Amino acid sequence: MISAKSDVQVDTPEVRVTEWRLAPGSATGHHTHEMDYVIVPVTAGEMTIVAPNGDRSKAQLGVGKSYFRKAGVKHDVLNETTDEIVFLEVELKP
């Protein structure tokens, strides 16, 4: 699997904003979110989420349809579609 591309756009004591670009066939790699975060989709699409135990689920993204998650989420995010997926991850620093 190809590695997703990330670009940290803002990194202050309060917040970190990262743009993620997942080309078709790419993945973020398994990771744990250390901070509460908001995802802001830039493109519509469908991501595949893989839990640490291997369970897979689909997440639908709508342009500008943000969602919030608490710290501690563990997963891998894959793009198994034919279109690029782009979203902003806004991490809220404690």
Side-chain angles (χ1 to χ4, degrees):
M1 185 97 5
I2 303 165
S3 292
K5 294 182 181 177
S6 63
D7 177 32
V8 176
Q9 297 179 340
V10 176
D11 195 355
T12 70
E14 300 82 19
V15 66
R16 180 184 314 140
V17 178
T18 305
E19 178 188 66
W20 284 93
R21 290 185 168 272
L22 283 75
S26 70
T28 60
H30 281 280
H31 59 279
T32 302
H33 287 270
E34 302 296 333
M35 296 175 265
D36 293 350
Y37 65 101
V38 175
I39 297 296
V40 182
V42 175
T43 60
E46 180 181 82
M47 299 186 303
T48 301
I49 309 299
V50 182
N53 66 2
D55 285 350
R56 297 165 68 90
S57 61
K58 301 290 185 178
Q60 300 299 319
L61 298 179
V63 176
K65 301 289 184 184
S66 304
Y67 62 88
F68 170 81
R69 297 286 183 270
K70 296 291 286 178
V73 172
K74 298 177 183 183
H75 59 205
D76 191 2
V77 179
L78 291 68
N79 180 357
E80 298 180 318
T81 73
T82 57
D83 298 312
E84 181 181 52
I85 295 170
V86 181
F87 60 87
L88 298 176
E89 175 185 65
V90 181
E91 296 173 285
L92 308 172
K93 296 182 179 181

